[in-house]
Amino acid sequence: MEMRDAIEADAGRLASLTDAPRDVMRNLVHDRTVRVIEEEDDIRGFVSYDAREQTVYVTQLEGDDGVYPELLDEPVRFAQTEEMAVELLVPDTEAEMRDAASDAGFERTGGGPQFDGESTTRYRIDNP
């Protein structure tokens, strides 16, 4: 698998991974840091994040089975370089994402907001 920056042409595939409109994903590519992981020219997942106030916020993490660990490496690596914390909200129904976050060194720090009626848990690494 190969990691690369997302480009506008990826918006259709990102939309299919998230059930979001293509225009929303195109705007995401322009407004955030977005990295995609692909295998044989097929995008298997992506991570988007931004940085503000000494914290890198993972804004979206989507993908096929098994790609979360590699995707999470991207914002964690950025946070290490910039000496920032990194934070992630995990939907409570996403066991694979929760396990990947724990394996990457994230610690549960409490409840997060609800999205579309679904509860989330906040995970954070203070000193990656």
Side-chain angles (χ1 to χ4, degrees):
M1 286 191 275
E2 183 177 324
M3 186 79 66
R4 65 171 174 79
D5 288 326
I7 58 174
E8 190 172 307
D10 296 328
R13 176 62 176 136
L14 301 183
S16 71
L17 286 169
T18 62
D19 294 326
R22 183 186 187 106
D23 289 347
V24 170
M25 291 296 104
R26 187 174 61 243
N27 290 339
L28 181 75
V29 169
H30 290 286
D31 295 341
R32 302 270 193 271
T33 299
V34 182
R35 302 279 289 162
V36 298
I37 190 166
E38 63 184 358
E39 185 173 40
E40 298 177 9
D41 295 325
D42 180 35
I43 294 175
R44 302 264 322 273
F46 74 96
V47 61
S48 65
Y49 57 95
D50 63 354
R52 59 186 190 282
E53 301 174 13
Q54 296 302 306
T55 302
V56 174
Y57 293 94
V58 177
T59 57
Q60 211 155 359
L61 179 65
E62 299 287 343
D64 298 338
D65 289 343
V67 298
Y68 292 144
E70 194 167 349
L71 289 169
L72 283 174
D73 284 346
E74 292 294 308
V76 170
R77 187 176 9 262
F78 179 84
Q80 286 173 327
T81 302
E82 299 299 320
E83 298 180 355
M84 300 173 82
V86 61
E87 199 166 285
L88 167 70
L89 294 174
V90 177
D92 290 346
T93 58
E94 294 286 338
E96 183 183 353
M97 190 182 300
R98 180 182 58 241
D99 293 345
S102 293
D103 291 347
F106 285 83
E107 294 182 14
R108 181 185 169 144
T109 60
Q114 286 195 351
F115 292 105
D116 296 325
E118 186 172 359
S119 298
T120 63
T121 300
R122 186 176 313 273
Y123 287 83
R124 184 174 174 94
I125 300 175
D126 284 315
N127 298 307

